[in-house]
Amino acid sequence: MQVEEFATEAADTLGDSLVAVYQYGSNFARGPKAKEAHLLMVVENVEAPLLKDMRPLAKRAREANYHIRFDTHNDIVCCADVFPVFVLELIDTKSLLQGKDVLADLSVHSDHLRSRVEQNLRVLHRDLLAAFVADEDHKALALHLRQAVRRSVYLLRALGIACEIDLPKLPTVEQLIDEVVGKLLPDTNRGIWHRLRRMANYEDSVPGDKLDELFGETLKAYSELVDAVDKLEA
């Protein structure tokens, strides 16, 4: 099933309750087992009758290896500063498949953004610590690293907004590392971040016997970044 067919089926099934269907999602650091597509369905409400109508659509999405997310327009707008990773990725990559483009003016504002990014970074750092202690399998550790770096791309974007760093409208990962990490940690070698970028995007492979060392350097890099964000003015 093509995403356009799924969007048409969603419109036929939900009728006026469906506001829009978007395809979104960056290809950065997505592995061979990633979902075929990420779809956002903007609906009028998320009450029980509508959710029951969505069940066959959810089943069809699983069969097609699609990830679907249901939200109201108001919920998406209100969560813009609370979940900057999702919203910034949505802004950068969304493509309207059905309905009205109600997210054309979606944006992330700097109010409270620094504290949200710090919170996300601290959770990410603790998750990496837990993964390193709990799992010795090299493939699993590499996956944890790739997922962390993928999430960090949009956290760096959010930091750029919070710190009013002059960035292109759609900055590359390299630009985010050089400009955002460079501003926050001017005396730190950014080589580890570029190495993580290449590894996360399957440009470089890391031998199994070197992965523990890379993981340790990564934990230190995230710790330094969290400390730098903590020192910023709220």
Side-chain angles (χ1 to χ4, degrees), residues 120-128 148 151-152 155 222:
N120 276 266
L121 284 172
R122 288 189 182 279
V123 170
L124 191 154
H125 183 249
R126 291 187 63 84
D127 287 347
L128 283 175
R151 185 170 179 81
S152 298
L155 290 175
Y222 274 100

Side-chain angles (χ1 to χ4, degrees), residues 192-205:
I192 179 62
W193 291 99
H194 285 294
R195 187 180 178 194
L196 287 170
R197 174 192 62 77
R198 294 191 299 270
M199 180 260 192
N201 209 31
Y202 297 88
E203 297 171 25
D204 284 353
S205 60

Side-chain angles (χ1 to χ4, degrees), residues 70-81:
F70 302 102
D71 263 315
T72 66
H73 175 255
N74 183 65
D75 285 343
I76 295 169
V77 173
C78 290
C79 83
D81 301 330

